[in-house]
Amino acid sequence: MNHSAKTKQPDISLAICGYSRVLEIISDKWTALIIYALENGGVRYGEIERRIEGISKKMLTQTLRKLEWNGLVQRHITPTVPPMVEYSLTSLGGSLLQPMRELRQWGRDNYWHVEEARANYEAMSEK
Amino acid sequence: MNHSAKTKQPDISLAICGYSRVLEIISDKWTALIIYALENGGVRYGEIERRIEGISKKMLTQTLRKLEWNGLVQRHITPTVPPMVEYSLTSLGGSLLQPMRELRQWGRDNYWHVEEARANYEAMSEK
DNA sequence: CGGGATCCTACGAGATACTG
DNA sequence: CAGTATCTCGTAGGATCCCG
């Protein structure tokens, strides 16, 4: 009753692949860094901005909104003047930390292999 | 001797973060799907194309080249006419499978939470 | 303090056509 | 079969200025 039993392999569909769906959520340039900034608890807007080198207000706000929209981050406003806004991970957001840490670790352990491969590839192309 | 001992937290730097480096490698639209297509061994160009729904020759070739450049995939040509080209994961590429599978699993398990959060967020905005 | 509104541009990626 | 070569377009993301 399911997909093509006679052909060698099932299709790989972008629309259905769990990985693609995760990427849609966490592959924006600043998303992961913001999640890491929040991994130890709630942090104020300005403090996140200070912690992450090079991020602009626009990108910070935009990325936080998307994280909120996806249910990974929650926003808590204390209506003083001026206002104080604190962001924190939801439990859904927290559940992403473990798998993300593993990818990060892979990057730390293996990035030099990647750089080596690139140098090698380019050396080959020139000959 | 290291970074600012008196300020509350060390900076989070895009350039240095292991996670950002991994994203640089595997966040392209088709990259993960190609890696999955190769997870059980070498596959020919045309076969990858058939397995991945919706990919164009241009994107397939371009993504394969980048994967090769990064040392994750290797290319083996049998110079018959017409030529036969087989791609397979290197050991470096294979080492990415485990962490990627975990993210994929997260997507499968939690995507419905994300969709729920989105619906909720939008319902809030309208009021 | 914590944003929002605009403008601009580089680049990812699709469509289409051609080739050894 | 396994690619290249162009053309085009949408959008992510940076810069800048303004606001309650």
Side-chain angles (χ1 to χ4, degrees):
Chain A
M1 188 60 100
N2 55 11
H3 48 66
S4 53
K6 316 199 67 168
T7 57
K8 28 253 154 175
Q9 283 281 131
D11 286 341
I12 300 176
S13 164
L14 188 68
I16 291 175
C17 176
Y19 194 86
S20 300
R21 291 176 160 178
V22 177
L23 280 188
E24 176 194 324
I25 295 172
I26 53 160
S27 72
D28 304 88
K29 186 168 181 181
W30 302 101
T31 300
L33 303 200
I34 293 178
I35 291 178
Y36 290 138
L38 301 178
E39 68 181 332
N40 297 318
V43 183
R44 294 185 61 178
Y45 182 92
E47 177 63 16
I48 305 178
E49 194 182 0
R50 255 168 278 121
R51 285 197 200 170
I52 301 180
E53 187 186 334
I55 195 169
S56 68
K57 280 183 191 301
K58 178 196 162 186
M59 288 316 295
L60 178 53
T61 302
Q62 183 177 304
T63 308
L64 282 167
R65 288 290 169 280
K66 183 171 172 186
L67 282 164
E68 244 192 298
W69 176 59
N70 285 324
L72 304 183
V73 157
Q74 60 200 114
R75 184 164 174 256
H76 183 257
I77 314 171
T78 308
T80 51
V81 181
M84 162 171 157
V85 182
E86 191 173 273
Y87 292 89
S88 55
L89 293 178
T90 61
S91 62
L92 185 61
S95 73
L96 254 175
L97 280 172
Q98 192 51 38
M100 284 177 59
R101 286 203 188 100
E102 273 171 67
L103 265 195
R104 177 171 59 178
Q105 195 55 44
W106 188 94
R108 289 172 175 164
D109 296 343
N110 296 290
Y111 197 72
W112 70 275
H113 286 299
V114 173
E115 291 185 310
E116 198 174 54
R118 289 177 180 171
N120 214 276
Y121 187 91
E122 275 142 26
M124 290 300 181
S125 313
E126 275 160 34
K127 286 201 300 185
Chain B
M1 187 56 103
N2 55 9
H3 47 65
S4 53
K6 317 197 69 168
T7 56
K8 29 251 154 180
Q9 284 279 132
D11 286 339
I12 301 175
S13 164
L14 188 69
I16 291 174
C17 177
Y19 193 85
S20 301
R21 292 176 161 179
V22 178
L23 279 189
E24 176 194 322
I25 295 172
I26 53 160
S27 72
D28 304 87
K29 186 168 181 182
W30 302 101
T31 300
L33 303 200
I34 293 178
I35 291 178
Y36 290 137
L38 301 179
E39 69 181 330
N40 296 319
V43 183
R44 294 184 63 176
Y45 182 91
E47 177 64 16
I48 305 178
E49 194 183 1
R50 254 168 278 124
R51 285 198 200 168
I52 302 179
E53 187 186 336
I55 195 169
S56 69
K57 281 183 191 301
K58 179 196 162 187
M59 289 316 296
L60 177 54
T61 301
Q62 184 177 304
T63 309
L64 282 168
R65 288 292 170 280
K66 185 173 172 185
L67 282 164
E68 242 192 298
W69 177 59
N70 285 323
L72 303 183
V73 157
Q74 60 201 119
R75 184 165 173 255
H76 183 256
I77 315 171
T78 308
T80 51
V81 181
M84 162 174 158
V85 182
E86 190 172 271
Y87 292 89
S88 56
L89 293 179
T90 61
S91 62
L92 185 62
S95 72
L96 255 175
L97 279 172
Q98 192 49 38
M100 284 177 59
R101 286 205 188 100
E102 273 171 66
L103 266 195
R104 178 171 57 176
Q105 196 54 45
W106 188 94
R108 289 173 175 164
D109 295 343
N110 295 291
Y111 197 71
W112 71 275
H113 285 300
V114 173
E115 290 184 312
E116 196 174 55
R118 289 178 181 171
N120 214 277
Y121 186 92
E122 275 143 25
M124 289 300 180
S125 314
E126 274 159 34
K127 286 202 300 187

